[in-house]
Amino acid sequence: MIQAISVDMDGTFLDSNGEYNRERFEEIYANLRQSGIKFIVASGNQYYQLKSFFPGKDRELFYVAENGAVIFHNNKLLSVNQFSNTLVEKILRTLTEDYQDLQVILCGVKSAYLLKEADPNFKEFARKYYFELKEVESFSTLPDDTFIKFALDVAIHQTTQIVEQLNQTFQDDIRAVSSGHGSIDIIIPGVTKGSAIKQLLTQWQVSPEQLLAFGDANNDIEMLELTPHSYAMKESSQAVLATAKHIAPSSNEAGVLAVIEHYLDDKSNKPTK
C-alpha cells in the first residue's frame, strides 16, 4: 500500500506555465487525507515559494525544499542542514575575488539574499523563485540567518569550468552542481531530496517500498532511487529515465495527477507498467 507521495515541482507537477489543475488536485488531496497518505513537495526551490502553490490553512503537506536542506510542515521547520558561517564567508570571498560577472544568491532559512548592486535582470529572475528575498549592501557582514545553499548565475559557456573549479577548491566541504542554463547550486554534500525524504519515511515508520515518487531532473535521482514506485516524466533527462522504474505522461498532460488517480482507483494499490 502506498503511504507517501513525493513530487518534484518544475517540469513534474507544474506544467510549462507553472500551474496545475487545482480543482482536480483538490479531489485527489481529499482522497489522500482520507486514506492517510502523506504528500511531500520536493524541490530545489525556496520553501516560501513552494507553499504559495498550495494556499489554505488545513494543508497537511510536507515541504522538502532547497534540494533537501530544509523540511517544513505547517510553517514549522522540522529539519535543517547548514553550512558553517566560516565556510560561508570563505565561499563568498572566493566568488567575489576569483570570478567576474557572476551573480550570487545566498540562501538562508529565513530569506535569500543578494547584493543591491546585482544585475537588474538577475533580480527580476530571482524574485520568481525566492518569495523571501532581501537586498544587502555587502556580504562582508553576514545576515542573521542559517545558510543552506548558494545559487549562482554564470555565463553558460563557463558553467562546467566553474563547477569543476569550485569542487576542486573546496573539495568535500561543498558540492557544486549545474542546474542548467548557466545556473549553479552550491549545496551541502550528501544532502539531497532523497536523504530528506528517507528521513521523513523513517520518522513515519514507512518503508521506501510504500513511497510513490515523481521527478524529471537529475536532482530527483536520489529520490527516485528510493522506491520501486518511481516515475520519470515523459520529457525527463536521460539519467532520470534510466533511474525511474516507470514513465508518467508529461507535466503538460497532468501526468502526476493521472498516475496518483490510478493508484487511488486500484484497490490493490499496486502499479502497472
Side-chain angles (χ1 to χ4, degrees):
M1 293 286 290
I2 296 300
Q3 296 296 314
I5 299 172
S6 62
V7 300
D8 169 57
M9 291 296 282
D10 295 325
T12 301
F13 189 77
L14 301 177
D15 62 26
S16 56
N17 294 317
E19 262 300 340
Y20 65 97
N21 188 323
R22 295 178 185 245
E23 183 177 351
R24 188 175 177 185
F25 175 73
E26 289 305 322
E27 294 182 9
I28 292 172
Y29 178 69
N31 201 330
L32 294 178
R33 289 200 65 175
Q34 185 176 9
S35 303
I37 300 173
K38 300 183 185 299
F39 192 83
I40 308 165
V41 178
S43 173
N45 293 344
Q46 188 188 52
Y47 162 66
Y48 306 102
Q49 186 245 18
L50 297 176
K51 74 173 186 176
S52 72
F53 288 106
F54 303 96
K57 294 182 179 180
D58 298 326
R59 296 292 190 190
E60 281 297 321
L61 303 182
F62 291 81
Y63 293 89
V64 168
E66 307 281 14
N67 281 327
V70 291
I71 303 174
F72 278 88
H73 177 240
N74 288 338
N75 290 319
K76 180 180 179 182
L77 179 64
L78 300 184
S79 174
V80 60
N81 293 275
Q82 67 190 82
F83 290 109
S84 70
N85 280 11
T86 300
L87 181 56
V88 170
E89 291 170 347
K90 184 178 178 181
I91 293 170
L92 287 170
R93 278 199 304 272
T94 298
L95 295 175
T96 302
E97 296 173 4
D98 295 355
Y99 297 94
Q100 301 293 323
D101 301 323
L102 181 148
Q103 305 293 324
V104 181
I105 298 175
L106 175 59
C107 305
V109 172
K110 299 176 185 176
S111 178
Y113 306 88
L114 51 65
L115 295 174
K116 287 185 177 179
E117 64 183 24
D119 182 90
N121 292 327
F122 181 65
K123 289 183 181 182
E124 183 178 353
F125 168 81
R127 290 189 183 98
K128 295 179 182 178
Y129 294 95
Y130 295 91
F131 280 32
E132 290 293 332
L133 181 65
K134 296 180 180 178
E135 297 184 16
V136 296
E137 294 287 353
S138 168
F139 284 132
S140 59
T141 301
L142 293 179
D144 179 21
D145 207 336
T146 300
F147 303 108
I148 54 180
K149 191 181 80 174
F150 295 79
L152 314 180
D153 184 71
V154 305
I156 293 177
H157 70 277
Q158 292 183 314
T159 303
T160 300
Q161 178 186 358
I162 292 175
V163 165
E164 292 175 353
Q165 289 174 343
L166 290 172
N167 283 325
Q168 183 174 11
T169 298
F170 293 98
Q171 299 293 322
D172 297 331
D173 289 336
I174 67 140
R175 181 179 168 217
V177 294
S178 169
S179 51
H181 307 289
S183 296
I184 296 173
D185 286 343
I186 298 176
I187 58 179
I188 301 166
V191 175
T192 66
K193 295 180 186 181
S195 65
I197 291 168
K198 189 173 183 180
Q199 177 183 329
L200 286 174
L201 296 179
T202 299
Q203 291 175 1
W204 299 334
Q205 296 184 319
V206 171
S207 73
E209 290 75 19
Q210 295 173 303
L211 172 70
L212 176 60
F214 299 86
D216 77 305
N218 289 4
N219 64 347
D220 297 315
I221 287 176
E222 293 86 354
M223 172 176 71
L224 298 174
E225 286 176 336
L226 290 175
T227 175
H229 310 303
S230 56
Y231 281 80
M233 310 310 291
K234 187 168 65 176
E235 298 170 348
S236 298
S237 71
Q238 288 302 311
V240 172
L241 290 169
T243 299
K245 303 300 183 184
H246 311 277
I247 298 176
S250 76
S251 58
N252 285 327
E253 299 172 275
V256 170
L257 300 185
V259 173
I260 294 175
E261 286 169 341
H262 170 76
Y263 273 77
L264 293 174
D265 289 341
D266 187 349
K267 298 296 183 182
S268 65
N269 210 359
K270 292 181 180 179
T272 58
K273 291 188 178 180

